[in-house]
Structure formats: C-alpha cells, structure tokens
Amino acid sequence: MHKFGMIALIGPPNAGKSTLMNTYIGQKVAIVSPKPQTTRNRISGILTTDDAQLVFLDTPGVHRLRGKMNRFLLESAWNALASSDAVVVLVDAALYCAKPQLLDKEIAPLVKPVGEAGRPVLVAVNKIDRIKEKDQLLPFMARLAELWPEAEFVPVSALKAKGTDELLERILAHTPEGPQMFPEDQISTVPLRFMASEIIREKLFYSLRQELPYSTAVEIEQWDEDSREDMVVINAVIYTSRPSHKGMIIGKQGANLKAIGSQARQEIAELIGQKVHLELWVKVREGWTEDPGFLRAMGLGE
Ligand code: GDP
Ligand code: K
Ligand code: MG
C-alpha cells in the first residue's frame, strides 16, 4: 500500500520546524537561523520513500504578532493546518526545561485552535541533545501531557537526527493511502527561484544586526539560462523599508553586500547544480511591510 500525506509543522518561533524539515528532506529546503521569523512564507519539503510520499508544510512561528505582515504569517500557519492530514507541533524542550513558565504561555494557546482543525497531533519534543540529565525532562513532559491530552509525544533532536525515525513512523501511521504526486527527485513544491531568494534572505539574516532583517525582502528580477556558458544569470533586489538601512546592507565599500552575494551564489549553484552569476541590488521601499499589494507580489500573502 502506498501512502501520500501533507504534514503541517507548527510551533513557536525557533522551535526547530525548518531544521526538522531539512533533516527529513536531506537538503536545505527552508532557511534556518537563530532569529525568530526567519520563515515567512509557507515552504514545502517533499520526502519520497519506497512506499510513501510526504509533503511537509513548514510555517512561520505561531505567536501573537502585530501588523499586516505578521497577520499574513499567522494566516499562512493556519492555512497549512487546514490542508494537512496530520500536524507535528515542535516544542523546544531545552527552553521549557529552563523556563517552565514559558510552556504555559507559548504552548497552551495552541491546544484549542490546533485541536479544532481535527487532525492527529504529534508533539515533537525537540532539542533533547541540549538536555544533559534526561530526568529534567520528566516534569516538563508531565505538564505537556496535561496540557495536550490528545497528542502523542516523541522526543527528538531535529538537528542531530535523533528520534526522527520514530517520529516519521508515527507520522506514517496517520498518513492516508494515496498515490505518489511528485517525481521522486523533486524536493519542494516551491519554485527554484523562490528558494534562491530565500537563500539570499538567509545570508542577510546572518550578516545584519538584530533589527535589520525584518525590514528586508528579496525579489528575483531576472533568471536567465546562458546555455553557452552553462550558467544561470540571476539579478536580485533586496528591498528595505528604511533608507538608513541601505548603507548598512551594502557595507563599507560594498563589502557586506559582496559577502552576502558570494555566499548566496555558492549555495544557489549547489541547489540548481549549475554555475551562477549573481547580481544584488539594494532598493528602499518605505512601508513595504504594511503594503498588502507588495506583500502579495512577494508571495507573503495568500
Ligand atoms: P523554526 O523557527 O522553528 O523554523 O526553527 P529553526 O529550524 O530555524 O531553528 C532555530 C534554531 O534552533 C537554529 O539555530 C537551529 O539550529 C536550532 N535547532 C533546531 N533544532 C535543534 C535541535 O534539535 N538541537 C539543537 N541543539 N538546536 C536545534
Ligand atoms: K528561526
Ligand atoms: Mg523556520
């Protein structure tokens, strides 16, 4: 019997949703960073085995947010839930062992809305590699089970791929019968050019100071195959909502932008298996995070 299913990954920012998806797909599909809100759009990763195909729907962290962009982020998480066959809720065990009060604050509000979607719920108790004494997990697991009586719990380390096979078995137990929908070498339902823009955004995240990345968006303006050179020529624009940020992104004598470009170029080349010529431009677009038309054009709305 062949199985096919859509699996929503939800949870607070930084719980490890994108890391788990990348571990399953075996390649970097979603960008990962220590900063919350790295994942803006709904990103999918396709896992194909001999007898099953799973489409993981990675989502932005679910938390209370203000502003239009943040509303889009939330909507996207709930839409993933609605189109899923099962949901995996990621929780950061290391964080909640250290700060038990956060468990009630961050996880308790998810129980009802997720429950109302009527999907089987698996809670992946993540980052167990960071917990030295396994006994420390017990009170936390007890409180979690109390909060979420309908859920199944699986301790994992998404980063070190520990417990992830057990989690996959449990996911498959809730996956309906169905045919393979995508070729086995396809790793995402998201177009390559969008994945390329995400790679550039990830490099921005790592290179900029805390407050900067949230004001930036990346758009691929040109994507041309140069068949003579066996090369892809890509032009991308980095939009920032603040004029004062433009200089910071570019850096002294363009050094920062150059570094971002060179790291992103290598990674995009790896992703598409071709040489890449990448040009980056920085443009100021004030107020873009509150502009519904622009958000939609950037794929941030539904
Ligand atoms: P997301 O916001 O839920 O998508 O979280 P990310 O996947 O972006 O991960 C947030 C941070 O937690 C990154 O720095 C990851 O490397 C880290 N992380 C994720 N899973 C694990 C894990 O199992 N163990 C450890 N030690 N770190 C993890
Ligand atoms: K993150
Ligand atoms: Mg993420």
Side-chain angles (χ1 to χ4, degrees), residues 168-183:
L168 188 60
E169 266 172 41
R170 304 273 206 107
I171 293 170
L172 286 168
H174 293 293
T175 304
E177 201 178 329
Q180 185 175 320
M181 306 283 271
F182 301 96

Side-chain angles (χ1 to χ4, degrees), residues 13-15 18 31-39:
N14 279 341
S18 300
I31 66 175
V32 171
S33 96
K35 293 171 186 156
Q37 282 190 50
T38 314
T39 309

Side-chain angles (χ1 to χ4, degrees), residues 9-23 30-39 58-61 90 92 94 125-131 156-162 164 206:
L9 303 176
I10 74 156
N14 279 341
K17 301 175 290 295
S18 300
T19 304
L20 181 71
M21 188 170 85
N22 293 338
T23 293
I31 66 175
V32 171
S33 96
K35 293 171 186 156
Q37 282 190 50
T38 314
T39 309
D58 188 12
T59 64
L90 272 282
D92 183 337
V125 178
N126 191 29
K127 308 197 189 182
I128 50 161
D129 59 291
R130 291 188 51 203
I131 294 167
V156 299
S157 167
L159 191 65
K160 311 265 181 200
K162 289 266 155 57
T164 43
Y206 280 111

Side-chain angles (χ1 to χ4, degrees), residues 231-246:
M231 182 195 265
V232 178
V233 178
I234 302 171
N235 271 327
V237 181
I238 298 169
Y239 287 100
T240 173
S241 58
R242 306 220 188 105
S244 61
H245 285 174
K246 185 174 173 179

